[in-house]
Amino acid sequence: MAQQLELEFKLDSSAILNYKRLDYSFWYALAEYVDNSTQSYFNNKKVLDAQFAEDNEKLEVKVVYDNRQGNLTIRDNAMGMDYEELVYALQMGKSPKINSGRSEFGMGLKTASCWIGDEWLVRTKKLGSDEELEFTFDVEKVSNGNTSLPIIRRKKPTSDHYTIIEIGKMHQKIAGNTLNKTKSYLASMYRVDLKQG
């Protein structure tokens, strides 16, 4: 009689070092964040539109590159994440719970951030929650097996909603022609969104 055994598939944390070697371009890396932000809006359009109307705002995704400091910041005012959603978002290869839109495979935040820089900080606050969450992801530490990421919790007004990603220790730089290409490609990729305001 055959004996049934089980194998457990595990992903070595050092695999994230390979993300910086991906054949990416800056505009596609940034598009990962824009996709996440706009999909967060589409998934929560009704409640966000009501809050935007109250605050006299609309969905915004801001990308700021500081050449002197060598860091990149992506900030949105979409739905934000609570603790459970943040934990889910950090699982490797886990597709989003709603994966019929732009964020199909659940790899964007992790792959793009690791490709751009070796250290990234995430701050997020979900609309309706009274808690902001913050953690720092150090690629070298995580790749060496230090996969525990302490989370800082802060009390915030329930009407606040955002996700901010700050990437430092950049090994990908935006210079001259790359900057112009990035602006041009992103404008083209999201032209329908831009036309719709």
Side-chain angles (χ1 to χ4, degrees):
M1 185 172 182
Q3 185 180 10
Q4 185 172 339
L5 300 173
E6 289 186 1
L7 294 173
E8 183 180 357
F9 175 74
K10 289 186 176 179
L11 181 66
D12 190 328
S13 56
S14 65
I16 66 167
L17 289 176
N18 292 322
Y19 290 174
K20 69 174 75 176
R21 299 184 191 97
L22 289 173
D23 188 18
Y24 247 4
S25 58
F26 237 110
W27 44 93
Y28 282 122
L30 292 179
E32 300 280 17
Y33 302 106
V34 179
D35 279 353
N36 287 347
S37 299
T38 52
Q39 192 61 52
S40 172
Y41 168 70
F42 294 136
N43 291 348
N44 302 280
K45 189 175 187 305
K46 189 174 181 180
V47 67
L48 279 171
D49 281 347
Q51 189 64 46
F52 287 149
E54 189 176 318
D55 297 336
N56 195 26
E57 293 181 355
K58 60 181 178 179
L59 176 69
E60 288 187 336
V61 184
K62 294 183 180 180
V63 179
V64 179
Y65 175 56
D66 187 331
N67 190 29
R68 290 180 183 167
Q69 297 293 323
N71 58 42
L72 180 74
T73 302
I74 303 99
R75 172 194 300 262
D76 73 37
N77 62 346
M79 192 66 179
M81 290 178 278
D82 60 19
Y83 177 74
E84 284 184 9
E85 291 164 324
L86 193 57
V87 168
Y88 194 89
L90 283 175
Q91 293 182 46
M92 301 303 293
K94 197 95 167 177
S95 294
K97 291 181 180 177
I98 301 174
N99 64 354
S100 57
R102 299 176 180 190
S103 304
E104 187 177 355
F105 302 110
M107 296 293 285
L109 167 67
K110 299 172 285 282
T111 53
S113 298
C114 291
W115 183 79
I116 294 171
D118 282 333
E119 187 174 282
W120 33 286
L121 178 144
V122 176
R123 269 186 291 142
T124 187
K125 162 71 181 58
K126 185 173 182 175
L127 179 61
S129 167
D130 66 351
E131 189 173 65
E132 177 192 74
L133 304 170
E134 177 185 312
F135 73 91
T136 300
F137 192 105
D138 186 310
V139 174
E140 293 296 328
K141 286 182 181 177
V142 171
S143 69
N144 287 324
N146 188 357
T147 56
S148 178
L149 306 174
I151 291 183
I152 299 168
R153 300 171 182 247
R154 300 183 186 91
K155 290 292 182 185
K156 294 286 182 178
T158 57
S159 59
D160 287 0
H161 51 103
Y162 50 83
T163 297
I164 303 164
I165 300 162
E166 298 173 7
I167 303 173
K169 296 184 181 177
M170 293 177 66
H171 35 79
Q172 303 291 339
K173 304 294 183 185
I174 309 176
N177 198 35
T178 303
L179 182 61
N180 293 331
K181 270 188 174 181
T182 299
K183 288 180 179 179
S184 175
Y185 276 106
L186 286 175
S188 175
M189 290 165 78
Y190 297 99
R191 62 188 177 277
V192 174
D193 290 350
L194 293 169
K195 282 180 183 176
Q196 294 175 351

